[in-house]
Amino acid sequence: MSDCIFCKIVSGDIPGDIVYQNDDVLAFRDLNPQAPTHILVIPKRHIATINELQDADAELVGKMYLAAKEIARNEGIDEAGYRTIMNCNAGAGQTVFHIHLHVLGGRQMSWPPG
Ligand code: 5GP
Ligand code: ZN
């Protein structure tokens, strides 16, 4: 998707503070962090929202969570705890329409979310 900022981070057209990647998944620090650790895990392939996920994407979504686990360990937040969130559509606060798993940690999280 030529007009998608996260696709541009995948292609290198715009910079990202990349912390992890493999063949399918890329992870980089959020530009506007909401916690001491705030990293976004994305599939390298463009998928707009959770609603567009297909059965064939099941392994890809699993790889996003395995990346989150790895990142949490690398960031040293795995034992204290961290939150993973994927917002779907505007009502949930999605502003970038390329799915991304937020990985937030380094502070106490509250519940319920806003
Ligand atoms: P959403 O609101 O869609 O769940 O999350 C989008 C996230 O992407 C926000 O936390 C926002 O700060 C982050 N973001 C938006 N544009 C950029 C960008 O160009 N680079 C990075 N690293 N993060 C971005
Ligand atoms: Zn995209």
Side-chain angles (χ1 to χ4, degrees):
M1 279 274 292
S2 56
D3 60 345
C4 169
I5 52 170
F6 287 177
C7 282
K8 286 180 180 159
I9 292 176
V10 172
S11 65
D13 289 338
I14 67 170
D17 187 354
I18 292 166
V19 298
Y20 179 95
Q21 66 176 312
N22 59 37
D23 285 350
D24 304 301
V25 166
L26 181 72
F28 49 89
R29 295 192 191 281
D30 196 292
L31 208 55
N32 183 25
Q34 301 301 311
T37 293
H38 187 174
I39 289 165
L40 303 174
V41 181
I42 69 169
K44 288 188 171 177
R45 178 163 56 83
H46 183 86
I47 300 170
T49 80
I50 294 173
N51 292 338
E52 276 71 46
L53 284 171
Q54 307 292 314
D55 288 353
D57 298 322
E59 191 175 344
L60 179 61
V61 174
K63 287 180 177 179
M64 291 172 70
Y65 275 91
L66 290 172
K69 180 192 81 167
E70 207 63 34
I71 289 161
R73 191 168 56 196
N74 293 344
E75 293 286 314
I77 59 172
D78 54 335
E79 291 301 327
Y82 56 99
R83 184 165 292 168
T84 59
I85 303 169
M86 202 185 298
N87 297 320
C88 183
N89 276 337
Q94 186 177 6
T95 58
V96 177
F97 287 84
H98 179 137
I99 59 168
H100 46 280
L101 188 63
H102 294 261
V103 180
L104 296 138
R107 66 168 170 82
Q108 184 62 44
M109 298 291 156
S110 59
W111 192 263

